[in-house]
Amino acid sequence: MSLVTTHVLDTARGRPAAGVPVRLDARDDDWSTIAAATTDDDGRVRDLGPDTLPAGVYRLVFDTESYLGEGCFLPEVTVAFRITDPAAHHHVPVLLSPFAYSTYRGS
């Protein structure tokens, strides 16, 4: 399993959000992409980038327009987070609806 994983749940439909493209970026002077994947039928990305990352600031960028449809209110959701322990697993779930989202540090 990679160091960073995610899970997208469609709270409006009450099911996993399958087929959402997700990108993992790292921040140095600017943002650079480390890895990209798409949520599976369970709304999960279990393999997103390396199994080790240095301490620093990262972000997950979710292409929600490809899931919610063209003209949606939230065409993209970005969740920035900090890794302080390079050995710890970081799970970042997103609860998504057509007009809102929430996130938390999962386990």
Side-chain angles (χ1 to χ4, degrees):
M1 181 184 326
S2 60
L3 183 72
V4 177
T5 58
T6 190
H7 190 193
V8 183
L9 297 172
D10 183 332
T11 58
R13 295 181 178 131
R15 64 179 187 217
V20 178
V22 182
R23 190 177 77 232
L24 174 63
D25 297 340
R27 185 177 76 184
D28 291 318
D29 293 335
D30 200 3
W31 292 101
S32 59
T33 299
I34 298 172
T38 302
T39 58
D40 63 15
D41 289 343
D42 194 32
R44 296 180 182 273
V45 175
R46 294 174 173 90
D47 187 18
L48 187 60
D51 55 3
T52 61
L53 288 170
V57 177
Y58 297 85
R59 70 181 178 188
L60 290 174
V61 181
F62 300 85
D63 176 6
T64 51
E65 185 170 42
S66 67
Y67 176 77
L68 296 171
E70 188 175 324
C72 66
F73 182 68
L74 297 169
E76 181 178 280
V77 168
T78 301
V79 179
F81 57 97
R82 184 179 310 276
I83 292 179
T84 56
D85 180 357
H89 176 244
H90 292 74
H91 184 64
V92 184
V94 171
L95 306 175
L96 179 66
S97 75
F99 299 101
Y101 74 92
S102 63
T103 187
Y104 57 95
R105 178 160 184 189
S107 57

